[in-house]
Amino acid sequence: MDISYILNELGEDREHYFNAIAPPIIQTSNFRFNKVDELRAAFADEMSTYLYSRGLNPTVDILRKKLAALDGAEDCLVFNNGAAAIFAGVLANVKAGDHIVSVSKPYTWVQRLFDVILPRFAVTTTYVDGRDATNYFNATRPDTTFYYLESPNSWDFAMQDISAIAAYAKQHNIITLIDNSYCTPLYQKPIEMGIDLAMQTATKYIGGHSDTLGGVLSGTHAMMKKIFDSEYLNIGSGIQPFNAWLLIRGLRTLPARLERINRTTQDVVAFVKAHPAVKRILYPFDESFPQYQLAKQQMKEAPGLFSFYVKAESRQQIVTFCESLQHIQMAVSWGGHESLLLPKCAGLQDHEFDAANPDHQMMRLYVGLEEAAYLITDLNQAFERSGLK
Ligand SMILES: *Cc1c(COP(=O)(O)O)cnc(C)c1O
């Protein structure tokens, strides 16, 4: 399906709403019925009709159709945020006594799910270094029913060989879920590589303006129905119509924004990499990246996010660097219009800083929609003020 068709037309039915170009926000909790038998049918299968907006909603459905098509999936569900999408996708596919193999250092709240919540229900997790696919296979036991992947990771961009892990999982009846937030389905298509559940946060690139949260889970009709009928309706974390509308709006410009961010990222990466105060950068599409070949093989582009290590002797130098920035802001998240910096040492006190620990010297930069020269000038003056050289 043509991406322009998906983003501009698919799922929309303008004749039903006054030929308005922008779709309506159907801000309603419930839907009326004329016939008792229609009500009966709705009770029997809530995924077949509009009954109550904790289930289906027409504005959300426009978004669903577009996001499923982008993922190349039969269907998808859209949640109020990415963490909820992961929670539902995992919960729907494990039971007491099951074992999960997960990539090490997954997204914070996934780690919390595996370490704190699931053990209460007798579901255990083994973390593996996913850069070698055989670590997944070797950690697999007779009770392993679920593989969790995140490729690339959003700090150090460690990747998994998605096709290899998906193929092995299929042979062993193991369900796979991947966090595809870094790439979005524009730059990596996990469903085509054999993954069962492709997740992405819509808070980042899909929304694109740092004004709403959202999360996506894509897969087969059968898988989506299974999740809809229990976890989706039960947890009640489906996206609200207004937020869905903001995400539809974000989708219109997604390819244009990503293209722009890609171009700017090349320039900013080149500047940072060449700066004498920088020891090393981590960026999947840089030739120095340890998994560069795999990145080129399974990703189309590497937009926006990269990390770098500075030659800092003290935490204060990094603090001065961060606080000297005039335009690049310090905040969590990424994918919006604004460039953002996040230093790893924000989790440390001054005396805990160890100049011999590269992790303490690491910063992550997200490149937004500003001009490259504007960002480079800002970084340059912050380097000068910090004394990093
Ligand atoms: C932000 C993020 C999430 C969670 O998404 P929310 O919409 O914030 O809940 C999951 N995975 C990655 C890699 C993220 O960056």
Side-chain angles (χ1 to χ4, degrees):
M1 219 183 286
D2 195 307
I3 187 163
S4 296
Y5 173 75
I6 296 171
L7 300 182
N8 293 288
E9 293 158 72
L10 180 67
E12 299 179 71
D13 196 355
R14 296 187 168 104
E15 287 182 12
H16 276 98
Y17 37 84
F18 314 105
N19 291 309
I21 299 293
I25 303 166
I26 308 287
Q27 187 72 23
T28 187
S29 57
N30 45 358
F31 300 84
R32 62 170 288 218
F33 289 80
N34 293 316
K35 304 276 183 208
V36 173
D37 276 349
E38 287 169 8
L39 201 49
R40 184 176 55 85
F43 288 154
D45 180 6
E46 198 172 332
M47 212 179 177
S48 69
T49 190
Y50 298 119
L51 170 73
Y52 191 59
S53 282
R54 177 152 32 80
L56 298 187
N57 172 281
T59 307
V60 175
D61 270 357
I62 295 172
L63 178 64
R64 257 179 79 201
K65 289 189 181 121
K66 292 182 189 296
L67 288 170
L70 284 183
D71 260 323
E74 286 177 11
D75 200 355
C76 81
L77 292 170
V78 191
F79 294 78
N80 205 31
N81 54 67
I86 295 169
F87 191 87
V90 174
L91 208 66
N93 287 293
V94 294
K95 60 182 188 317
D98 282 354
H99 173 246
I100 295 170
V101 179
S102 168
V103 68
S104 59
K105 295 185 282 176
Y107 184 68
T108 317
W109 296 100
V110 178
Q111 184 122 21
R112 211 65 66 85
L113 169 64
F114 291 159
D115 292 348
V116 179
I117 300 177
L118 291 183
R120 302 203 323 251
F121 304 95
V123 176
T124 54
T125 301
T126 302
Y127 295 103
V128 295
D129 180 346
R131 290 173 297 182
D132 181 349
T134 58
N135 289 337
Y136 269 85
F137 314 153
N138 292 336
T140 301
R141 316 188 310 216
D143 56 352
T144 304
T145 57
F146 200 88
Y147 279 176
Y148 187 86
L149 297 85
E150 180 183 336
S151 185
N153 175 289
S154 65
W155 265 99
D156 62 12
F157 316 110
M159 288 182 288
Q160 298 100 67
D161 183 334
I162 299 170
S163 303
I165 294 171
Y168 185 91
K170 278 226 157 42
Q171 279 171 9
H172 294 82
N173 284 321
I174 293 166
I175 302 279
T176 47
L177 188 156
I178 188 169
D179 183 339
N180 192 35
S181 297
Y182 179 91
C183 282
T184 83
L186 261 57
Y187 292 156
Q188 182 166 270
K189 300 233 182 254
I191 300 278
E192 286 176 6
M193 297 183 216
I195 291 288
D196 296 308
L197 285 162
M199 173 272 166
Q200 60 169 319
T201 169
T203 310
K204 315 285 166 62
Y205 288 120
I206 307 284
H209 294 76
S210 302
D211 54 12
T212 183
L213 282 81
V216 189
L217 203 53
S218 295
T220 61
H221 284 304
M223 175 62 89
M224 291 303 118
K225 178 146 176 55
K226 170 171 132 170
I227 297 172
F228 178 88
D229 283 343
S230 51
E231 285 75 14
Y232 187 84
L233 282 170
N234 243 303
I235 304 169
S237 55
I239 195 158
Q240 296 296 298
F242 178 61
N243 291 354
W245 185 87
L246 284 171
L247 295 177
I248 294 167
R249 190 170 73 155
L251 278 178
R252 310 282 197 210
T253 57
L254 178 65
R257 284 185 287 108
L258 284 179
E259 249 179 70
R260 157 85 178 197
I261 288 168
N262 268 333
R263 256 184 290 127
T264 313
T265 303
Q266 305 313 312
D267 293 348
V268 178
V269 162
F271 167 79
V272 171
K273 191 181 173 183
H275 197 283
V278 174
K279 274 188 191 162
R280 180 159 90 89
I281 64 157
L282 285 177
Y283 176 60
F285 269 32
D286 187 83
E287 283 177 23
S288 71
F289 189 71
Q291 292 180 288
Y292 176 68
Q293 291 307 329
L294 182 61
K296 283 284 186 180
Q297 187 184 312
Q298 60 188 20
M299 293 160 52
K300 213 170 129 195
E301 298 285 351
L305 271 187
F306 70 98
S307 294
F308 56 100
Y309 299 91
V310 289
K311 296 173 185 161
E313 297 300 326
S314 69
R315 183 174 177 274
Q316 190 54 47
Q317 282 182 304
I318 296 178
V319 170
T320 306
F321 175 84
C322 294
E323 296 178 0
S324 297
L325 291 165
Q326 305 286 307
H327 305 296
I328 298 169
Q329 307 177 76
M330 237 196 314
V332 296
S333 196
W334 43 274
H337 57 93
E338 77 291 8
S339 292
L340 298 171
L341 185 86
L342 208 55
K344 264 265 170 172
C345 69
L348 300 175
Q349 299 192 14
D350 275 341
H351 72 271
E352 291 171 316
F353 184 85
D354 176 5
N357 184 344
D359 264 3
H360 293 186
Q361 300 172 314
M362 186 186 199
M363 286 186 261
R364 185 182 79 181
L365 184 63
Y366 164 67
V367 177
L369 291 170
E370 302 92 334
E371 297 284 337
Y374 187 70
L375 300 173
I376 289 170
T377 304
D378 199 18
L379 290 166
N380 201 37
Q381 62 83 25
F383 273 125
E384 276 173 19
R385 284 198 203 188
S386 68
L388 285 166
K389 49 183 185 279

